[in-house]
């Protein structure tokens, strides 16, 4: 019986080769995978111990054939085939942009990013990495931002488990020779995340470095990119984040340089995993309109601007760092849980997606944002609650109410709709009655009051419209003219509330 | 003995005249007040009952003389004199712009605006007006925004005590004949505010109107302005606010029209009370750079932009409506007390001034913001606490820390300094340790932790710097380079905290 590989799973060709002076650069290897007349090229890579591998993620059920190509006779012209069988339960395939501002898996399942950040979790002691995975299994995050390279930064002074390149006789890392063991470990962790339904938002470069990884030069950067894309592209849950805080490296890697690195990834990745790049300074966003940027990845605390960012770039907006819950002496890492939950709701209700992080001071510097481990905060449960709410009703993705498409109130409060569901989010506002944004047509609706902090859902009845505009006898220019809605609702007059309205199915 | 009038008090000339068809327009009246060779012209006005008055606020101690001028012989050529004696205790004279972004009374006493809003309080039943004054005596507001005309708006449906113009035989108000009784009442209330140390921010026009006051036409608008300026200019606590939400009247009163009205006020007001104009839509700010605008008066919830507004207009910024504490179904009137206190602190710590308002639903529609009465909220006490803090230490006015003049952190948190005092305000941030913005030189300081909500002040000790930058061995571009401060502080890791540092006097 022919080898079977499930849809979006990893098919791997293993080849043994000759000893080479530098097996990483002295052998070129790829394979052409064919499905009928369709051909897809996947690059191979050296995995140490005279072993080369080619990984391939089939995206179509049926028979696939392949032939290898190499400048080394012992790796060249190998042929084979396999049957791509239906996807394993729970595997929905890589995430793609869908409906302009949103995402879905390849099988069409909507994907709403609710990610967290553990930059250097794969470089911590193995027991702590197990703990991180355990925490992720219990939480409801479905994406994690993580660096390939270890991190040198405040609260990040420990040495990584392994160097990312082989250490030469001189005791220095040889940037021409990736440490296959270190990368195998990364593969394994990405694979575990995939099994848990967590997208791995792989940060390819970052500026927090004492080892020299951010100053290798363009040839080695390109070499490294080809290597990691060959290793990881076949994992369906991979996203490429070209950099964290790319602008902090702008003196050595200018914008055109990042463009070229984007092109290298595009050229090597047969699966076209979605790609973006993350800024540091909120005024130094990348030009996300470039065609090689699939979605907007930013850090910005000013989340009421989310709908504007959608308009600016015309792509899905993920605000991966609307500041973190915590208490460290850095203002990006010390907002209250309530404020982070508020920023998640504002972001989502203005048509974007937000990212979580935790930066609580710890006697051993075990901060989730850097090292993973356990969650110590209060926001993650409320973020899970929001994710569950969305997955219950949203299909296409949320379209925000704005002053341009609705009423001026949506400059101050937030709201969004999709199909049969609409939400209003009041945040720091605490009305006791409300109407604006409720349906203009009377009908059969399920209306609920949502306490975003207490995580309660309470049915609401229709109530009379609170205020009748326009004002009778008003002589000044009448603003906010026209009826606000077909009916109103009565609320509790406290902050952090939302209202959900669903058209009742007959 | 010659008549004595205290500095900045009201000197009044009363004249009886003949019966005229329209005494408001058929007699012109003014007086030239002389102090040595200096001459100041004050306009007179008709006060009903065949009585004309000229009011004058002397700004210099010593002997003043005057001569009246009129087209009516019985009002023309009257002469007199009085002695301007020292100011009464507690009277500091009119408020002027000082130090570009700040204010002071004429005697040099710094004035930090901490105003509230009771638009139509002078049009409510007299007992309620007494209650409003009683409330103001207990609170610590030193400015009130108030309309000349009554208000027609949601929660504002009651008829005013008096029409602002005489009612003719046809039962309609005659906009050519001001109702002297109604204006006398306004004078009296402005005078009471002055005695309490409260500036009267007089709103001359507004769009909330069912009586026709906003559609009188340019001749009558001008006539009315000359009339009210003649009546009120001699009260030292008057500010002129040309309009509330001028942009909601833009169809009938375009921008050039407002410019002309500014010019009328300037022409008639010998005391040059400070003037501004208030927008409705946050994107429709007036061009406050115009020379006839003394200070910026805006409504805008996005208070972290305050330092930018200072830069934009180069004048003092008063954000009179950063949304109100309350629970009505309008998002400008339903933020929590905590959020309004937060917005006050952010505004002040970014070099501006904020205004208070309360909009709690009430069975009889008695909302402070519209009608005065009693305060029902929780923010006003904390705003008083902030005023007291400022008056204790600030002399020139606060200069904000910004990313341009300090470090990037001040995009996220707020801070300001003046002379020997500096403040850091953390808002939704909750660091357990902090350094950025503390003094760069070690020295003898009184350091305090201020809980802005609990209104407590707790001494703090110097602590070691929390994080030592630049990071040793960092290879990426080092951001936030250089020492953060000479020392750090340890905080409580909860929101709504501020730190005050004062150089200890030897």
């Amino acid at each position: 019986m022919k080898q079977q590989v499930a849809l979006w799973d990893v098919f791997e060709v293993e080849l043994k080769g000759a000893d080479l002076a530098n097996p990483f650069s002295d052998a070129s290897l790829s394979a052409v995978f064919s499905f009928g007349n369709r051909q897809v090229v996947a690059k191979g890579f050296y995995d140490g111990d005279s072993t080369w591998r080619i990984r391939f993620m089939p995206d179509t059920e049926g028979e696939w054939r392949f032939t290898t190509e190499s400048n080394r006779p012992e790796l060249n012209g190998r042929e084979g085939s396999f049957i791509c069988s239906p996807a394993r339960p729970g595997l929905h395939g890589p995430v793609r942009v869908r409906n302009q501002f949103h995402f879905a898996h390849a099988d069409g399942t909507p994907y709403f990013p609710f990610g967290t950040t553990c930059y250097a979790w794969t470089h911590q002691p193995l027991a702590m990495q197990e703990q991180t995975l355990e925490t992720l299994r219990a939480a409801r995050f479905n994406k994690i931002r993580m660096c390939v390279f270890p991190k040198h930064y405040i609260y990040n002074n420990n040495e990584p488990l392994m160097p990312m390149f082989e250490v030469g006789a001189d005791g220095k890392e040889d940037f021409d020779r990736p440490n296959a063991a270190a990368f195998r470990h990364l593969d394994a962790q990405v694979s575990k995340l995939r099994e848990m339904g967590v997208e791995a938002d792989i940060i390819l470069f970052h500026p927090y470095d004492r080892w020299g990884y951010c100053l290798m030069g363009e040839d080695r950067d390109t070499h490294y990119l080809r290597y990691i894309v060959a290793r990881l592209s076949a994992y369906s849950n991979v996203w490429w984040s070209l950099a964290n805080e790319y602008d902090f490296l702008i003196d050595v890697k200018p914008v055109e340089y990042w463009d070229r690195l984007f092109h290298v990834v595009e050229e090597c990745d047969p699966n076209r995993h979605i790609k973006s790049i993350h800024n540091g300074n909120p005024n130094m966003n990348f030009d996300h309109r470039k065609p090689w940027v699939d979605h907007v990845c930013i850090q910005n605390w000013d989340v009421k601007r989310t709908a504007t960012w959608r308009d600016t770039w015309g792509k899905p907006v993920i605000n991966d760092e609307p500041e973190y819950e915590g208490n460290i002496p850095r203002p990006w890492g010390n907002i209250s849980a309530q404020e982070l939950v508020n920023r998640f709701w504002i972001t989502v209700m203005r048509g974007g997606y937000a990212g979580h992080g935790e930066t609580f001071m710890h006697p051993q510097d075990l901060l989730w944002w850097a090292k993973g481990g356990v969650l110590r905060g209060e926001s993650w449960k409320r973020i899970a609650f929001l994710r569950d709410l969305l997955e219950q009703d949203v299909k296409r993705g949320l379209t925000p109410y704005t002053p341009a498409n609705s009423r001026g109130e949506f400059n101050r409060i937030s709201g969004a709709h999709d199909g049969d569901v609409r939400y209003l989010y009041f945040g720091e506002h605490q009305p006791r009655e409300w109407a604006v944004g409720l349906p203009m047509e009377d009908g059969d609706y399920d209306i609920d009051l949502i306490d975003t902090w207490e995580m309660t859902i309470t049915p609401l009845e229709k109530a009379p419209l609170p205020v009748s505009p326009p004002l009778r006898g008003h002589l000044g220019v009448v603003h906010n003219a026209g009826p606000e809605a077909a009916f109103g609702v009565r609320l509790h007059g406290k902050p952090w509330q939302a209202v959900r309205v669903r058209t009742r199915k007959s």
Side-chain angles (χ1 to χ4, degrees), chain A:
Chain A
M1 191 181 145
K2 196 159 278 189
Q3 188 181 350
Q4 301 243 339
V5 176
L7 190 67
W8 303 310
D9 237 333
V10 179
F11 172 76
E12 191 174 279
V13 182
E14 180 183 308
L15 300 169
K16 289 285 178 180
D19 285 346
L20 299 171
N22 184 344
F24 295 98
S25 55
D26 293 351
S28 74
L29 175 63
S30 61
V32 179
F33 287 82
S34 310
F35 188 94
N37 287 316
R38 180 176 164 219
Q39 293 195 324
V40 180
V41 178
K43 307 247 185 214
F45 63 92
Y46 182 65
D47 198 27
D49 197 24
S50 305
T51 304
W52 279 261
R53 298 184 196 281
I54 303 165
R55 289 179 182 157
F56 179 70
M57 184 195 80
D59 61 6
T60 309
E61 290 176 46
E63 186 180 35
W64 287 84
R65 312 191 139 268
F66 68 89
T67 308
T68 68
E69 292 180 354
S70 176
N71 62 348
R72 303 294 310 177
E74 66 274 25
L75 304 176
N76 189 44
R78 304 294 191 90
E79 292 187 342
S81 67
F82 66 92
I83 300 293
C84 174
S85 54
R88 289 187 284 130
L91 236 69
H92 300 286
V95 167
R96 312 294 189 197
V97 171
R98 194 180 64 165
N99 303 331
Q100 186 174 5
F101 295 112
H102 302 286
F103 301 93
H105 288 280
D107 72 352
T109 307
Y111 173 80
F112 308 114
F114 281 88
T116 187
T117 303
C118 304
Y119 286 126
W121 77 276
T122 62
H123 297 286
Q124 306 310 313
L126 290 174
M128 190 175 188
Q129 295 191 41
E130 276 311 306
Q131 199 182 34
T132 304
L133 292 166
E134 204 56 53
T135 302
L136 287 173
R137 271 182 209 103
R140 292 273 289 137
F141 296 115
N142 60 9
K143 181 168 85 69
I144 186 169
R145 281 181 68 74
M146 51 189 279
C147 300
V148 174
F149 295 117
K151 188 174 174 192
H152 176 65
Y153 200 67
I154 52 172
Y155 315 117
N156 287 260
N157 297 307
N158 55 333
E159 279 299 317
L161 285 187
M162 287 177 273
M164 294 309 291
F165 294 89
E166 290 181 4
V167 176
D170 59 357
K172 290 183 178 165
E173 285 183 63
D174 179 352
F175 296 137
D176 291 323
R177 305 174 74 97
N179 179 359
F183 281 90
R184 269 198 298 271
H185 177 68
L186 180 62
D187 301 345
Q189 300 305 59
V190 169
S191 173
K192 285 177 197 158
L193 293 171
R194 184 192 59 192
E195 298 307 302
M196 294 159 53
V198 176
E199 302 294 304
D201 199 356
I202 306 278
I203 297 167
L204 296 166
F205 294 95
H206 65 70
Y208 332 112
D209 181 24
R210 67 170 173 263
W211 304 274
Y213 300 132
C214 71
L215 298 172
M216 298 191 298
E218 184 154 5
D219 281 352
R220 283 163 170 163
D221 283 353
T222 305
H223 194 91
Y224 149 69
L225 278 188
R226 291 182 191 281
Y227 188 77
I228 192 164
V229 173
R231 289 201 75 106
L232 285 180
S233 162
Y235 294 92
S236 61
N237 61 325
V238 162
W239 298 24
W240 304 120
S241 185
L242 266 288
N244 213 59
E245 301 193 320
Y246 84 93
D247 47 315
F248 294 163
L249 285 168
I250 204 79
D251 288 353
V252 289
K253 290 180 165 60
V255 168
E256 311 75 49
Y257 192 96
W258 292 112
D259 286 340
R260 291 199 295 277
L261 297 181
F262 266 108
H263 299 166
V264 172
V265 173
E266 281 198 314
E267 171 206 330
C268 299
D269 177 5
N271 299 310
R272 301 190 74 84
H273 291 290
I274 56 174
K275 303 174 300 302
S276 194
I277 185 167
H278 176 91
N279 63 296
N281 184 328
N283 298 320
M284 288 286 284
N285 292 312
F286 204 77
D287 183 357
H288 300 287
R289 293 172 306 172
K290 290 176 176 175
W292 41 91
V293 181
D294 293 297
H295 61 286
V296 176
C297 176
I298 53 172
Q299 66 167 295
N300 202 307
W301 55 263
D302 203 1
V303 292
K304 285 190 180 172
R305 292 167 59 198
T306 302
T308 307
W309 298 326
R310 281 171 43 126
D311 290 345
T312 302
W313 292 305
K315 296 182 182 181
V317 172
I318 302 183
N319 187 352
D320 268 310
E321 193 183 328
E323 300 182 332
Y324 301 132
E325 181 186 357
N327 60 13
I328 62 169
R330 288 286 177 265
W332 46 259
N334 61 25
I335 61 171
S336 66
Q338 205 149 51
E339 180 61 17
L340 184 55
V341 173
N342 182 42
R343 291 185 187 179
F344 259 79
W345 272 86
I346 290 173
T347 301
V348 169
M349 293 302 146
R350 294 185 183 225
Y353 299 97
H356 166 271
E358 256 190 27
T359 42
F360 283 100
M361 293 184 68
H362 184 274
Q364 282 85 50
D365 285 350
L366 304 183
L367 284 70
W368 170 262
W369 136 90
K371 299 178 180 173
V374 296
L375 289 162
R376 299 169 206 280
E378 291 294 325
S379 66
W380 66 272
K381 299 164 215 165
R382 280 84 185 179
I383 294 166
F385 174 72
L386 173 56
R387 178 184 166 190
D388 289 342
L389 281 176
L390 251 60
E391 293 191 345
Q392 200 178 332
D393 290 296
V394 179
K395 304 285 181 278
R396 270 184 66 88
L398 288 171
T399 299
Y401 296 113
T402 67
N405 70 25
S406 180
R407 287 173 49 122
E409 280 84 346
F410 288 104
N411 184 21
R412 305 176 189 254
I413 64 151
S414 308
H417 62 97
D418 179 60
D420 288 335
V421 67
R422 71 175 70 199
Y423 307 89
L424 304 174
Y425 174 62
F426 298 103
E428 70 275 24
H429 295 273
Q430 49 178 19
R432 244 182 52 193
E433 304 180 340
W434 193 260
V436 171
L438 293 178
M440 297 300 285
E441 289 180 23
D442 205 359
D444 216 7
Y445 301 103
D446 289 314
I447 313 171
D448 295 289
L449 173 64
I450 296 168
D451 187 312
T452 66
W453 182 256
E454 300 296 339
M455 299 181 281
T456 56
I457 302 175
T458 315
L460 288 179
E461 296 298 320
K462 289 180 190 172
L465 281 177
V467 181
S468 328
L471 295 164
R472 196 168 51 82
H474 192 105
L475 288 172
V477 177
V478 177
H479 46 288
N480 289 349
E484 301 175 287
F487 52 88
V489 287
R490 293 223 171 84
L491 307 171
H492 295 171
K494 57 182 192 171
W496 325 123
Q497 308 298 300
V499 167
R500 177 178 65 184
V501 182
R502 297 184 289 187
T503 308
R504 199 173 290 158
K505 306 295 197 316
S506 52

